[in-house]
Coordinates of all heavy atoms in Angstrom, one line a residue:
M1367 N 7.8 -7.3 49.4 CA 7.9 -8.6 48.7 C 6.7 -8.6 47.7 O 7.0 -9.1 46.6 CB 7.7 -9.8 49.7 CG 7.9 -11.1 49.1 SD 9.5 -11.3 48.4 CE 9.5 -12.9 47.9
K1368 N 5.6 -8.1 48.0 CA 4.5 -8.1 47.1 C 4.8 -7.2 45.9 O 4.4 -7.5 44.8 CB 3.2 -7.6 47.8 CG 2.6 -8.6 48.7 CD 1.3 -8.1 49.3 CE 0.7 -9.1 50.3 NZ -0.5 -8.6 50.9
I1369 N 5.5 -6.1 46.1 CA 5.8 -5.2 45.0 C 6.8 -5.9 44.0 O 6.6 -5.9 42.8 CB 6.5 -3.9 45.5 CG1 5.4 -3.2 46.3 CG2 7.0 -3.1 44.4 CD1 5.9 -1.9 47.0
V1370 N 7.8 -6.7 44.6 CA 8.7 -7.4 43.7 C 8.0 -8.4 42.9 O 8.2 -8.6 41.7 CB 9.8 -8.0 44.6 CG1 10.7 -8.9 43.7 CG2 10.7 -6.9 45.3
L1371 N 7.1 -9.2 43.6 CA 6.3 -10.2 42.9 C 5.4 -9.6 41.8 O 5.4 -10.1 40.7 CB 5.5 -11.0 43.9 CG 4.7 -12.2 43.3 CD1 5.6 -13.2 42.7 CD2 3.9 -12.8 44.4
S1372 N 4.8 -8.5 42.1 CA 4.0 -7.8 41.1 C 4.8 -7.3 39.9 O 4.3 -7.5 38.8 CB 3.2 -6.6 41.8 OG 2.4 -7.1 42.8
L1373 N 5.9 -6.8 40.2 CA 6.8 -6.3 39.1 C 7.3 -7.5 38.2 O 7.4 -7.4 37.0 CB 8.0 -5.5 39.6 CG 7.7 -4.1 40.1 CD1 8.9 -3.5 40.8 CD2 7.2 -3.2 39.0
A1374 N 7.6 -8.6 38.9 CA 8.1 -9.8 38.1 C 6.9 -10.3 37.3 O 7.2 -10.7 36.1 CB 8.5 -10.9 39.1
L1375 N 5.7 -10.4 37.8 CA 4.6 -10.8 37.0 C 4.3 -9.9 35.8 O 4.0 -10.3 34.7 CB 3.3 -11.0 37.9 CG 3.4 -12.2 38.8 CD1 2.2 -12.2 39.7 CD2 3.4 -13.5 38.1
L1376 N 4.4 -8.6 36.1 CA 4.2 -7.6 35.0 C 5.3 -7.8 33.9 O 4.9 -7.8 32.7 CB 4.2 -6.2 35.6 CG 4.0 -5.1 34.6 CD1 2.6 -5.1 34.0 CD2 4.2 -3.7 35.3
L1377 N 6.5 -7.9 34.3 CA 7.6 -8.1 33.3 C 7.4 -9.4 32.5 O 7.6 -9.4 31.3 CB 8.9 -8.1 34.1 CG 10.2 -8.2 33.2 CD1 10.3 -7.1 32.2 CD2 11.4 -8.3 34.0
F1378 N 7.0 -10.4 33.2 CA 6.8 -11.7 32.5 C 5.6 -11.5 31.5 O 5.7 -12.1 30.4 CB 6.4 -12.8 33.5 CG 6.1 -14.1 32.9 CD1 7.2 -14.9 32.3 CD2 4.8 -14.6 32.8 CE1 6.9 -16.1 31.7 CE2 4.5 -15.8 32.2 CZ 5.6 -16.5 31.7
G1379 N 4.6 -10.8 31.9 CA 3.5 -10.6 31.0 C 3.9 -9.8 29.7 O 3.5 -10.1 28.6
V1380 N 4.8 -8.8 29.9 CA 5.2 -8.0 28.8 C 6.1 -8.8 27.9 O 6.0 -8.8 26.6 CB 6.0 -6.7 29.3 CG1 6.7 -6.0 28.1 CG2 5.0 -5.8 30.0
V1381 N 7.0 -9.6 28.4 CA 7.8 -10.5 27.6 C 7.0 -11.5 26.9 O 7.2 -11.8 25.7 CB 8.9 -11.2 28.5 CG1 9.7 -12.2 27.7 CG2 9.9 -10.1 29.0
S1382 N 6.0 -12.1 27.5 CA 5.2 -13.1 26.9 C 4.4 -12.5 25.8 O 4.1 -13.1 24.7 CB 4.2 -13.7 27.9 OG 5.0 -14.5 28.8
F1383 N 3.9 -11.3 26.0 CA 3.1 -10.6 25.0 C 3.9 -10.2 23.7 O 3.4 -10.2 22.6 CB 2.5 -9.3 25.6 CG 1.6 -8.6 24.6 CD1 0.4 -9.1 24.3 CD2 2.0 -7.4 24.0 CE1 -0.5 -8.4 23.4 CE2 1.2 -6.7 23.2 CZ 0.0 -7.2 22.8
A1384 N 5.2 -9.9 23.9 CA 6.1 -9.5 22.8 C 6.4 -10.7 21.9 O 6.7 -10.5 20.8 CB 7.4 -8.9 23.4
Q1385 N 6.3 -11.9 22.4 CA 6.6 -13.1 21.6 C 5.4 -13.4 20.7 O 4.3 -13.3 21.1 CB 6.9 -14.3 22.5 CG 8.2 -14.2 23.3 CD 8.4 -15.3 24.2 OE1 7.5 -16.1 24.4 NE2 9.5 -15.4 24.8
T1386 N 5.7 -13.8 19.4 CA 4.6 -14.1 18.5 C 4.4 -15.6 18.5 O 5.3 -16.4 18.7 CB 5.0 -13.6 17.1 OG1 6.1 -14.3 16.6 CG2 5.2 -12.1 17.1
N1387 N 3.2 -15.9 18.3 CA 2.8 -17.3 18.1 C 2.3 -17.6 16.7 O 1.4 -18.3 16.4 CB 1.7 -17.7 19.1 CG 2.2 -17.7 20.5 OD1 3.4 -18.1 20.8 ND2 1.4 -17.4 21.5
D1388 N 3.0 -17.0 15.7 CA 2.7 -17.1 14.3 C 3.1 -18.5 13.8 O 4.2 -18.8 13.8 CB 3.4 -16.0 13.5 CG 3.0 -15.9 12.1 OD1 2.2 -16.8 11.7 OD2 3.4 -15.0 11.4
P1389 N 2.1 -19.3 13.4 CA 2.4 -20.6 12.9 C 3.2 -20.6 11.6 O 3.7 -21.7 11.2 CB 1.0 -21.3 12.7 CG 0.1 -20.1 12.6 CD 0.6 -19.0 13.4
L1390 N 3.2 -19.5 10.9 CA 4.0 -19.5 9.6 C 5.4 -19.0 9.8 O 6.2 -19.2 8.9 CB 3.2 -18.5 8.7 CG 1.8 -18.9 8.2 CD1 1.2 -17.9 7.3 CD2 1.8 -20.3 7.6
E1391 N 5.8 -18.5 10.9 CA 7.1 -17.9 11.1 C 8.1 -19.0 11.0 O 8.0 -20.1 11.5 CB 7.2 -17.3 12.5 CG 8.5 -16.6 12.7 CD 8.6 -15.8 14.0 OE1 7.5 -15.7 14.7 OE2 9.6 -15.3 14.3
G1392 N 9.2 -18.7 10.1 CA 10.2 -19.7 9.9 C 9.9 -20.7 8.8 O 10.8 -21.5 8.4
K1393 N 8.7 -20.8 8.4 CA 8.3 -21.8 7.3 C 8.9 -21.3 6.0 O 9.2 -20.1 5.8 CB 6.8 -21.9 7.2 CG 6.2 -22.4 8.5 CD 6.3 -23.8 8.7 CE 5.5 -24.2 9.9 NZ 5.6 -25.6 10.3
R1394 N 8.9 -22.2 5.0 CA 9.3 -21.8 3.7 C 8.1 -21.7 2.7 O 7.1 -22.5 2.9 CB 10.3 -22.8 3.1 CG 11.6 -22.8 3.8 CD 12.5 -23.9 3.3 NE 12.0 -25.2 3.7 CZ 12.6 -26.3 3.4 NH1 13.7 -26.3 2.7 NH2 12.2 -27.4 3.9
I1395 N 8.1 -20.8 1.8 CA 7.1 -20.7 0.8 C 7.8 -20.6 -0.6 O 8.7 -19.8 -0.8 CB 6.2 -19.5 1.0 CG1 5.1 -19.4 0.0 CG2 6.9 -18.2 1.2 CD1 4.0 -18.3 0.2
G1396 N 7.4 -21.4 -1.5 CA 7.9 -21.4 -2.8 C 6.7 -21.2 -3.8 O 5.7 -21.9 -3.7
V1397 N 6.8 -20.3 -4.7 CA 5.7 -19.9 -5.6 C 6.1 -20.2 -7.0 O 7.2 -19.7 -7.5 CB 5.4 -18.4 -5.4 CG1 4.1 -18.1 -6.2 CG2 5.2 -18.0 -4.0
L1398 N 5.3 -21.1 -7.7 CA 5.6 -21.4 -9.1 C 4.6 -20.6 -9.9 O 3.5 -20.4 -9.5 CB 5.3 -22.9 -9.3 CG 6.1 -23.9 -8.5 CD1 5.6 -25.3 -8.7 CD2 7.5 -23.8 -9.0
G1399 N 5.0 -20.2 -11.1 CA 4.1 -19.5 -12.0 C 4.8 -18.8 -13.1 O 6.0 -19.0 -13.4
D1400 N 4.0 -18.0 -13.8 CA 4.5 -17.3 -15.0 C 4.8 -15.9 -14.6 O 5.3 -15.6 -13.5 CB 3.4 -17.3 -16.1 CG 2.1 -16.8 -15.6 OD1 2.0 -16.2 -14.5 OD2 1.1 -16.8 -16.3
S1401 N 4.7 -15.0 -15.5 CA 5.1 -13.6 -15.3 C 4.3 -12.9 -14.2 O 4.8 -11.9 -13.6 CB 5.0 -12.8 -16.6 OG 3.7 -12.8 -17.1
Y1402 N 3.1 -13.4 -13.9 CA 2.4 -12.8 -12.8 C 3.1 -13.1 -11.5 O 3.0 -12.3 -10.5 CB 0.9 -13.3 -12.8 CG 0.1 -12.8 -13.9 CD1 -0.2 -13.6 -14.9 CD2 -0.3 -11.4 -13.9 CE1 -1.0 -13.1 -16.0 CE2 -1.1 -10.9 -14.9 CZ -1.4 -11.7 -15.9 OH -2.2 -11.2 -17.0
V1403 N 3.7 -14.3 -11.4 CA 4.4 -14.6 -10.2 C 5.8 -13.9 -10.1 O 6.2 -13.4 -9.1 CB 4.6 -16.1 -10.1 CG1 5.6 -16.5 -9.0 CG2 3.3 -16.8 -9.9
K1404 N 6.4 -13.9 -11.3 CA 7.7 -13.2 -11.4 C 7.6 -11.7 -11.2 O 8.6 -11.1 -10.8 CB 8.4 -13.6 -12.8 CG 9.7 -13.0 -13.0 CD 10.7 -13.8 -12.1 CE 12.1 -13.4 -12.5 NZ 13.1 -13.9 -11.7
N1405 N 6.4 -11.2 -11.5 CA 6.2 -9.7 -11.5 C 6.9 -9.0 -12.6 O 7.8 -8.1 -12.3 CB 6.4 -9.2 -10.1 CG 5.5 -8.0 -9.8 OD1 4.5 -7.9 -10.4 ND2 5.9 -7.2 -8.9
H1406 N 6.7 -9.4 -13.8 CA 7.3 -8.9 -15.0 C 7.5 -7.4 -15.0 O 6.5 -6.7 -14.8 CB 6.6 -9.4 -16.2 CG 7.2 -9.0 -17.5 ND1 8.4 -9.4 -17.9 CD2 6.8 -8.1 -18.5 CE1 8.7 -8.9 -19.1 NE2 7.7 -8.1 -19.5
K1407 N 8.7 -6.9 -15.2 CA 9.0 -5.5 -15.3 C 8.8 -4.7 -14.0 O 8.8 -3.5 -14.0 CB 8.3 -4.8 -16.4 CG 8.7 -5.3 -17.8 CD 8.1 -4.5 -18.9 CE 8.5 -5.0 -20.2 NZ 7.9 -4.2 -21.3
R1408 N 8.6 -5.4 -12.9 CA 8.5 -4.8 -11.6 C 9.3 -5.6 -10.6 O 9.7 -6.7 -10.9 CB 7.0 -4.8 -11.1 CG 6.0 -4.1 -12.0 CD 6.2 -2.6 -12.1 NE 6.1 -2.0 -10.8 CZ 6.3 -0.8 -10.6 NH1 6.8 0.0 -11.5 NH2 6.2 -0.3 -9.4
V1409 N 9.6 -5.0 -9.5 CA 10.4 -5.7 -8.5 C 9.6 -6.8 -7.8 O 8.3 -6.6 -7.6 CB 11.0 -4.7 -7.4 CG1 12.0 -3.8 -8.1 CG2 9.9 -3.9 -6.8
V1410 N 10.2 -7.9 -7.4 CA 9.5 -9.0 -6.8 C 8.9 -8.6 -5.4 O 7.9 -9.1 -5.0 CB 10.5 -10.2 -6.6 CG1 9.9 -11.3 -5.8 CG2 10.9 -10.7 -8.0
E1411 N 9.5 -7.6 -4.8 CA 9.1 -7.1 -3.5 C 7.6 -6.5 -3.5 O 7.0 -6.3 -2.5 CB 10.0 -6.1 -2.9 CG 11.3 -6.7 -2.4 CD 12.3 -6.9 -3.6 OE1 12.1 -6.5 -4.7 OE2 13.3 -7.6 -3.4
E1412 N 7.1 -6.3 -4.7 CA 5.7 -5.8 -4.8 C 4.7 -6.9 -4.9 O 3.5 -6.6 -5.0 CB 5.6 -4.8 -6.0 CG 6.4 -3.6 -5.9 CD 6.4 -2.7 -7.1 OE1 5.8 -3.1 -8.1 OE2 6.9 -1.6 -7.0
T1413 N 5.1 -8.1 -5.0 CA 4.1 -9.2 -5.1 C 3.4 -9.5 -3.8 O 4.0 -9.3 -2.7 CB 4.8 -10.5 -5.7 OG1 5.8 -10.9 -4.8 CG2 5.4 -10.3 -7.0
W1414 N 2.2 -10.0 -3.9 CA 1.5 -10.3 -2.6 C 2.2 -11.5 -1.9 O 2.2 -11.5 -0.6 CB 0.0 -10.7 -2.9 CG -0.2 -12.0 -3.7 CD1 -0.3 -12.1 -5.0 CD2 -0.3 -13.3 -3.1 NE1 -0.4 -13.4 -5.3 CE2 -0.4 -14.2 -4.2 CE3 -0.2 -13.8 -1.8 CZ2 -0.5 -15.5 -4.0 CZ3 -0.3 -15.1 -1.6 CH2 -0.5 -16.0 -2.7
H1415 N 2.7 -12.4 -2.6 CA 3.4 -13.6 -1.9 C 4.6 -13.2 -1.2 O 4.9 -13.7 -0.1 CB 3.6 -14.8 -2.8 CG 3.8 -14.4 -4.2 ND1 5.1 -14.0 -4.7 CD2 3.0 -14.3 -5.3 CE1 5.0 -13.8 -6.0 NE2 3.7 -13.9 -6.4
Y1416 N 5.4 -12.2 -1.7 CA 6.6 -11.7 -1.1 C 6.2 -11.0 0.2 O 6.8 -11.1 1.3 CB 7.4 -10.8 -2.0 CG 8.6 -10.2 -1.3 CD1 9.8 -10.9 -1.2 CD2 8.5 -9.0 -0.7 CE1 10.9 -10.4 -0.5 CE2 9.6 -8.4 0.0 CZ 10.8 -9.1 0.1 OH 11.9 -8.6 0.7
K1417 N 5.2 -10.1 0.1 CA 4.7 -9.3 1.2 C 4.2 -10.2 2.3 O 4.5 -10.0 3.5 CB 3.6 -8.3 0.8 CG 4.2 -7.2 -0.1 CD 3.0 -6.3 -0.6 CE 3.6 -5.3 -1.5 NZ 2.5 -4.4 -2.0
M1418 N 3.5 -11.3 2.0 CA 3.0 -12.2 3.0 C 4.2 -12.9 3.7 O 4.2 -13.1 4.9 CB 2.1 -13.3 2.3 CG 1.5 -14.2 3.4 SD 0.6 -15.5 2.6 CE 1.9 -16.7 2.4
A1419 N 5.1 -13.4 2.9 CA 6.3 -14.1 3.5 C 7.1 -13.1 4.4 O 7.5 -13.5 5.5 CB 7.2 -14.6 2.3
K1420 N 7.2 -11.9 4.0 CA 8.0 -10.9 4.8 C 7.2 -10.7 6.1 O 7.8 -10.6 7.2 CB 8.2 -9.6 4.1 CG 9.0 -8.7 4.8 CD 9.4 -7.5 4.0 CE 10.3 -6.6 4.9 NZ 11.1 -5.7 4.2
R1421 N 5.9 -10.5 6.0 CA 5.1 -10.2 7.2 C 5.1 -11.3 8.2 O 5.1 -11.1 9.4 CB 3.6 -10.0 6.8 CG 2.7 -9.7 8.0 CD 1.3 -9.5 7.5 NE 1.2 -8.3 6.6 CZ 0.4 -8.3 5.6 NH1 -0.3 -9.3 5.2 NH2 0.4 -7.2 4.8
H1422 N 5.3 -12.6 7.7 CA 5.3 -13.7 8.7 C 6.7 -14.3 8.9 O 6.8 -15.4 9.4 CB 4.4 -14.8 8.1 CG 2.9 -14.4 8.1 ND1 2.1 -14.4 9.2 CD2 2.1 -14.0 7.0 CE1 0.9 -14.0 8.9 NE2 0.9 -13.8 7.6
N1423 N 7.7 -13.5 8.5 CA 9.1 -14.0 8.7 C 9.3 -15.3 8.1 O 9.9 -16.2 8.7 CB 9.5 -13.9 10.1 CG 9.5 -12.5 10.6 OD1 9.9 -11.6 10.0 ND2 9.0 -12.3 11.9
M1424 N 8.9 -15.5 6.8 CA 9.1 -16.8 6.2 C 10.2 -16.7 5.2 O 10.7 -15.7 4.8 CB 7.8 -17.1 5.4 CG 6.5 -17.3 6.2 SD 5.1 -17.4 5.2 CE 5.2 -19.1 4.7
I1425 N 10.8 -17.9 4.9 CA 11.8 -18.0 3.8 C 11.1 -18.1 2.5 O 10.2 -18.9 2.3 CB 12.7 -19.3 4.1 CG1 13.3 -19.2 5.5 CG2 13.7 -19.4 3.0 CD1 13.9 -20.5 5.9
Y1426 N 11.5 -17.2 1.6 CA 10.7 -17.0 0.3 C 11.5 -17.4 -0.9 O 12.7 -17.1 -1.0 CB 10.4 -15.5 0.2 CG 9.7 -15.1 -1.0 CD1 8.4 -15.5 -1.3 CD2 10.3 -14.4 -2.0 CE1 7.7 -15.1 -2.5 CE2 9.7 -14.0 -3.2 CZ 8.4 -14.4 -3.4 OH 7.8 -14.0 -4.5
Y1427 N 10.9 -18.3 -1.7 CA 11.4 -18.7 -3.0 C 10.4 -18.3 -4.1 O 9.3 -18.7 -4.1 CB 11.7 -20.2 -3.1 CG 12.6 -20.7 -2.0 CD1 12.1 -21.3 -0.9 CD2 14.0 -20.6 -2.1 CE1 12.9 -21.7 0.1 CE2 14.8 -21.0 -1.2 CZ 14.3 -21.6 0.0 OH 15.1 -22.1 0.9
N1428 N 10.9 -17.6 -5.1 CA 10.1 -17.2 -6.2 C 10.6 -17.9 -7.5 O 11.7 -17.6 -8.0 CB 10.1 -15.7 -6.5 CG 9.1 -15.2 -7.6 OD1 8.9 -15.9 -8.5 ND2 8.5 -14.1 -7.3
Y1429 N 9.8 -18.9 -8.0 CA 10.2 -19.7 -9.2 C 9.4 -19.2 -10.4 O 9.2 -20.0 -11.3 CB 10.0 -21.1 -8.9 CG 10.8 -21.7 -7.8 CD1 10.3 -22.0 -6.6 CD2 12.2 -21.8 -8.0 CE1 11.1 -22.5 -5.6 CE2 13.0 -22.3 -6.9 CZ 12.4 -22.7 -5.7 OH 13.2 -23.1 -4.7
G1430 N 8.9 -18.0 -10.4 CA 8.2 -17.4 -11.5 C 9.1 -17.3 -12.7 O 10.3 -16.9 -12.6
R1431 N 8.5 -17.5 -13.9 CA 9.3 -17.3 -15.2 C 8.4 -16.5 -16.1 O 7.2 -16.7 -16.3 CB 9.5 -18.7 -15.8 CG 10.4 -19.6 -15.0 CD 11.9 -19.1 -15.1 NE 12.7 -20.0 -14.3 CZ 13.2 -19.7 -13.1 NH1 12.8 -18.6 -12.5 NH2 14.0 -20.5 -12.5
N1432 N 9.1 -15.5 -16.7 CA 8.4 -14.8 -17.8 C 8.2 -15.6 -19.0 O 9.0 -16.5 -19.3 CB 9.2 -13.5 -18.1 CG 9.2 -12.5 -17.0 OD1 8.3 -12.4 -16.2 ND2 10.3 -11.8 -16.8
G1433 N 7.1 -15.4 -19.7 CA 6.8 -16.2 -20.9 C 5.6 -17.1 -20.7 O 4.9 -16.9 -19.7
N1434 N 5.4 -18.0 -21.6 CA 4.2 -18.8 -21.5 C 4.5 -20.2 -21.1 O 3.6 -21.1 -21.2 CB 3.4 -18.8 -22.8 CG 4.3 -19.3 -23.9 OD1 5.4 -19.7 -23.8 ND2 3.7 -19.2 -25.1
C1435 N 5.7 -20.6 -20.6 CA 6.0 -21.9 -20.2 C 6.5 -22.0 -18.8 O 7.6 -21.5 -18.6 CB 7.0 -22.5 -21.2 SG 7.3 -24.3 -20.9
I1436 N 5.8 -22.6 -17.9 CA 6.3 -22.7 -16.5 C 6.7 -24.1 -16.2 O 7.3 -24.3 -15.1 CB 5.3 -22.1 -15.5 CG1 4.0 -23.0 -15.5 CG2 5.0 -20.7 -15.8 CD1 3.1 -22.7 -14.4
S1437 N 6.5 -25.0 -17.0 CA 6.8 -26.4 -16.7 C 8.2 -26.8 -17.0 O 8.8 -27.7 -16.4 CB 5.9 -27.4 -17.3 OG 5.9 -27.2 -18.7
I1438 N 8.8 -26.1 -18.0 CA 10.2 -26.4 -18.4 C 11.0 -25.1 -18.5 O 10.5 -24.0 -18.9 CB 10.2 -27.1 -19.8 CG1 10.1 -28.6 -19.6 CG2 11.3 -26.7 -20.6 CD1 10.3 -29.3 -20.9
D1439 N 12.2 -25.1 -18.0 CA 13.1 -24.0 -18.1 C 13.6 -24.0 -19.6 O 14.4 -24.9 -19.9 CB 14.3 -24.1 -17.1 CG 15.1 -22.8 -17.1 OD1 14.9 -21.9 -18.0 OD2 15.9 -22.7 -16.2
L1440 N 13.2 -23.1 -20.4 CA 13.5 -23.1 -21.8 C 15.0 -22.9 -22.1 O 15.5 -23.2 -23.2 CB 12.7 -22.1 -22.6 CG 11.2 -22.3 -22.5 CD1 10.4 -21.2 -23.2 CD2 10.8 -23.7 -23.2
K1441 N 15.7 -22.3 -21.1 CA 17.2 -22.1 -21.3 C 18.0 -23.4 -21.4 O 18.9 -23.5 -22.2 CB 17.7 -21.1 -20.2 CG 17.1 -19.7 -20.3 CD 17.7 -18.9 -19.2 CE 17.0 -17.5 -19.2 NZ 17.4 -16.7 -18.1
N1442 N 17.7 -24.3 -20.5 CA 18.5 -25.5 -20.4 C 17.6 -26.8 -20.4 O 18.2 -27.9 -20.3 CB 19.4 -25.5 -19.2 CG 18.6 -25.3 -17.9 OD1 17.4 -25.5 -17.8 ND2 19.3 -25.0 -16.8
G1443 N 16.3 -26.7 -20.5 CA 15.5 -27.9 -20.6 C 15.2 -28.6 -19.3 O 14.5 -29.6 -19.3
D1444 N 15.6 -28.0 -18.2 CA 15.3 -28.7 -16.9 C 13.8 -28.5 -16.5 O 13.2 -27.5 -16.9 CB 16.1 -28.0 -15.7 CG 17.6 -28.4 -15.8 OD1 17.9 -29.4 -16.4 OD2 18.4 -27.8 -15.1
L1445 N 13.2 -29.5 -15.9 CA 11.9 -29.4 -15.4 C 11.9 -28.4 -14.2 O 12.7 -28.6 -13.3 CB 11.3 -30.7 -15.0 CG 11.1 -31.7 -16.1 CD1 10.7 -33.1 -15.5 CD2 10.0 -31.2 -17.1
L1446 N 11.0 -27.5 -14.2 CA 10.9 -26.5 -13.2 C 10.6 -27.1 -11.8 O 11.2 -26.7 -10.8 CB 9.9 -25.4 -13.5 CG 9.9 -24.2 -12.6 CD1 11.3 -23.5 -12.6 CD2 8.9 -23.2 -13.1
C1447 N 9.7 -28.1 -11.8 CA 9.3 -28.7 -10.5 C 10.5 -29.4 -9.9 O 10.7 -29.4 -8.7 CB 8.1 -29.6 -10.7 SG 8.4 -30.9 -11.9
I1448 N 11.4 -30.0 -10.7 CA 12.5 -30.7 -10.2 C 13.5 -29.7 -9.6 O 14.1 -29.9 -8.6 CB 13.2 -31.6 -11.3 CG1 12.3 -32.7 -11.8 CG2 14.5 -32.2 -10.7 CD1 11.7 -33.6 -10.7
K1449 N 13.7 -28.6 -10.3 CA 14.6 -27.5 -9.9 C 14.1 -27.0 -8.6 O 14.9 -26.7 -7.7 CB 14.6 -26.4 -11.0 CG 15.7 -25.4 -10.8 CD 15.6 -24.4 -12.0 CE 16.7 -23.4 -11.9 NZ 16.8 -22.5 -13.0
C1450 N 12.8 -26.9 -8.3 CA 12.3 -26.3 -7.1 C 12.5 -27.3 -5.9 O 12.8 -26.9 -4.8 CB 10.8 -26.1 -7.2 SG 10.4 -24.8 -8.4
I1451 N 12.4 -28.6 -6.2 CA 12.6 -29.6 -5.2 C 14.1 -29.6 -4.7 O 14.4 -29.8 -3.5 CB 12.2 -31.0 -5.7 CG1 10.7 -31.1 -5.9 CG2 12.7 -32.1 -4.8 CD1 10.2 -32.3 -6.6
R1452 N 15.0 -29.3 -5.6 CA 16.4 -29.3 -5.2 C 16.8 -28.2 -4.3 O 17.8 -28.2 -3.6 CB 17.3 -29.3 -6.5 CG 17.2 -30.5 -7.3 CD 18.1 -30.4 -8.5 NE 17.9 -31.5 -9.4 CZ 18.0 -31.4 -10.7 NH1 18.5 -30.3 -11.3 NH2 17.7 -32.5 -11.5
T1453 N 16.1 -27.1 -4.4 CA 16.4 -25.9 -3.6 C 16.1 -26.0 -2.2 O 15.2 -26.6 -1.7 CB 15.6 -24.7 -4.2 OG1 16.0 -24.5 -5.6 CG2 16.0 -23.4 -3.5

């Protein structure tokens, strides 16, 4: 009986250890910015914010825009902050 109890406690400890208590897991991260956020001419997966989101299993939104205007979407005139809130 002691062996069964010991094995059960050991198994419970391994399962508990495997679970993460990451406070960021499942949270959403939205990043606003210019070409540094968009990662101009490079893939978004190389940005620090994407890597952080992936490491913590977060939902990731990149609202970076190339150019010098991040407050308005120059294509259709929408405010970028309103567009982010809708997502």
Side-chain angles (χ1 to χ4, degrees):
M1367 183 66 174
K1368 288 183 181 180
I1369 294 174
V1370 173
L1371 184 58
S1372 297
L1373 287 174
L1375 288 174
L1376 179 64
L1377 181 61
F1378 179 74
V1380 169
V1381 170
S1382 296
F1383 182 72
Q1385 295 175 350
T1386 63
N1387 291 326
D1388 188 353
L1390 297 177
E1391 187 171 352
K1393 303 281 186 181
R1394 292 181 286 182
I1395 180 172
V1397 186
L1398 298 171
D1400 57 7
S1401 57
Y1402 289 106
V1403 171
K1404 184 71 172 174
N1405 212 19
H1406 181 64
K1407 295 186 179 181
R1408 303 293 300 172
V1409 293
V1410 173
E1411 289 79 11
E1412 293 179 355
T1413 60
W1414 67 265
H1415 30 84
Y1416 177 85
K1417 291 177 183 179
M1418 184 188 85
K1420 185 172 178 156
R1421 179 180 299 140
H1422 294 285
N1423 295 320
M1424 299 173 75
I1425 301 167
Y1426 175 72
Y1427 301 99
N1428 185 324
Y1429 297 108
R1431 297 288 180 258
N1432 291 327
N1434 59 2
C1435 184
I1436 64 167
S1437 60
I1438 270 188
D1439 189 350
L1440 297 176
K1441 292 179 184 173
N1442 58 15
D1444 286 346
L1445 292 174
L1446 187 58
C1447 59
I1448 300 301
K1449 191 174 183 178
C1450 296
I1451 291 171
R1452 291 182 192 151
T1453 303

